[in-house]
């Protein structure tokens, strides 16, 4: 199995938790400063850091897989470097890509019914988007194919992939290989989602069929002013 699982670090964890629940995500793990939220498609991890920490307001690209040893073997066989790491905190797989970017695959957590599904209480239309910025979109896209992601779109400026067990992996062109900003897709009309956010006293607006939600991290100046939620490809009007 493969699922999008970015990690977002913030000094505004409470505000983020309220925003995510307003979007329709469901909190499934609460270890205080480490919380996990399920969307209908994809999973998002939130980690608290102190204000001014270098990671404050940043999102780390990542995935989760069912059998990490098998995931690493298949990724290596496909032509992308993957190394199993054993640590007291658990097992991960480090993936080193052709453009110099590195990210991790974490062990997937099964649902209460034993499946790999995310919470049935999450809004089924919401998808988590993990973003990787690369100067070599074509090479990055090949590495995503090699980890088992399913290509949806690709051109010189970007490529998007679906994953078997939920969430979107996205590569966009940029000068350096690095992590991109957190984003979401919504498979449906954005107006009801906007109304739900406003009912929760969360600032949001729609412009040119994109929903912009006020970013809790923007007060520090380094983070983008808004979180972007686009209509999913193929959504009905």
């Amino acid at each position: 199995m493969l699922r999008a699982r970015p990690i977002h670090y913030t000094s505004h964890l409470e505000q983020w938790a309220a925003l995510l629940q307003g979007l329709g995500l469901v909190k499934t793990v609460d270890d205080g400063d480490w919380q996990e939220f399920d969307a209908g498609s994809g999973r998002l991890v939130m980690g608290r850091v102190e204000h001014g920490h270098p990671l404050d307001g940043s999102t780390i690209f990542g995935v989760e897989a069912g059998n990490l040893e098998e995931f690493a073997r298949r990724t290596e066989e496909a032509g992308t470097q993957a190394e199993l790491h054993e640590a007291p905190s658990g097992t991960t797989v480090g993936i080193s890509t052709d453009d110099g970017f590195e990210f991790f695959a974490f062990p997937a957590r099964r649902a209460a019914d034993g499946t790999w599904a995310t919470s049935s209480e999450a809004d089924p239309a919401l998808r988590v988007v993990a973003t990787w910025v690369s100067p070599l979109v074509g090479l990055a896209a090949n590495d995503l194919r090699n980890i088992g992601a399913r290509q949806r779109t690709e051109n010189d400026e970007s490529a998007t992939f679906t994953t078997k067990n939920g969430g979107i992996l996205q590569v966009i062109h940029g000068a350096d290989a690095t992590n991109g900003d957190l984003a979401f897709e919504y498979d449906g009309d954005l107006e009801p989602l906007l109304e739900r956010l406003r009912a929760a006293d969360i600032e949001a607006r729609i412009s040119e069929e994109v929903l912009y939600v006020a970013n809790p991290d923007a007060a520090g100046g380094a983070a983008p002013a808004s979180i972007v939620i686009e209509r999913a490809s193929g959504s009905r009007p």
Side-chain angles (χ1 to χ4, degrees):
M1 66 82 64
L2 182 70
R3 176 181 288 128
R5 183 192 184 272
I7 303 172
H8 185 81
Y9 291 96
T10 179
S11 57
H12 301 90
L13 187 56
E14 288 77 16
Q15 294 95 319
W16 265 102
L19 186 158
L20 295 176
Q21 289 166 332
L23 285 174
L25 287 88
V26 173
K27 186 187 295 185
T28 54
V29 173
D30 189 348
D31 290 334
D33 292 342
W34 188 261
Q35 300 178 8
E36 296 185 15
F37 293 81
D38 281 5
S41 179
R43 182 167 285 149
L44 174 61
V45 180
M46 302 294 295
R48 188 195 303 274
V49 293
E50 294 297 321
H51 180 69
H53 189 283
L55 287 175
D56 191 11
S58 64
T59 305
I60 307 300
F61 183 95
V63 299
E64 61 181 31
N67 184 324
L68 291 183
E69 290 186 5
E70 182 69 6
F71 171 82
R73 183 188 68 79
R74 290 185 178 183
T75 300
E76 284 275 350
E77 285 185 353
T80 294
Q81 184 177 340
E83 183 178 355
L84 205 65
H85 296 275
E86 301 284 354
S89 57
T91 304
T92 58
V93 176
I95 298 100
S96 300
T97 67
D98 288 335
D99 67 354
F101 187 62
E102 296 182 347
F103 65 94
F104 285 91
F106 296 86
R109 172 173 46 79
R110 290 186 184 270
D113 61 4
T115 69
W116 296 115
T118 54
S119 173
S120 60
E121 298 176 7
D123 185 336
L126 192 71
R127 302 170 181 174
V128 176
V129 180
T131 304
W132 162 9
V133 180
S134 175
L136 303 167
V137 170
L139 285 179
N142 188 60
D143 286 313
L144 289 180
R145 284 189 288 269
N146 289 348
I147 69 168
R150 300 165 172 173
Q151 186 169 320
R152 187 175 69 176
T153 66
E154 183 178 355
N155 55 47
D156 291 342
E157 295 299 317
S158 66
T160 62
F161 291 77
T162 61
T163 59
K164 181 178 180 180
N165 296 88
I168 304 298
L169 304 180
Q170 172 178 253
V171 181
I172 60 175
H173 185 265
D176 300 304
T178 187
N179 295 285
D181 296 323
L182 177 65
F184 299 91
E185 285 187 355
Y186 199 72
D187 189 12
D189 190 351
L190 294 172
E191 288 287 349
L193 184 56
L194 174 64
E195 292 174 7
R196 194 165 74 207
L197 289 168
R198 286 178 171 172
D201 293 325
I202 295 169
E203 182 182 343
R205 63 183 175 87
I206 293 176
S207 176
E208 298 182 352
E209 298 189 5
V210 176
L211 176 60
Y212 296 92
V213 184
N215 187 343
D217 298 317
S226 301
I227 302 138
V228 175
I229 304 172
E230 296 185 342
R231 286 174 58 91
S233 177
S235 291
R236 284 189 253 174

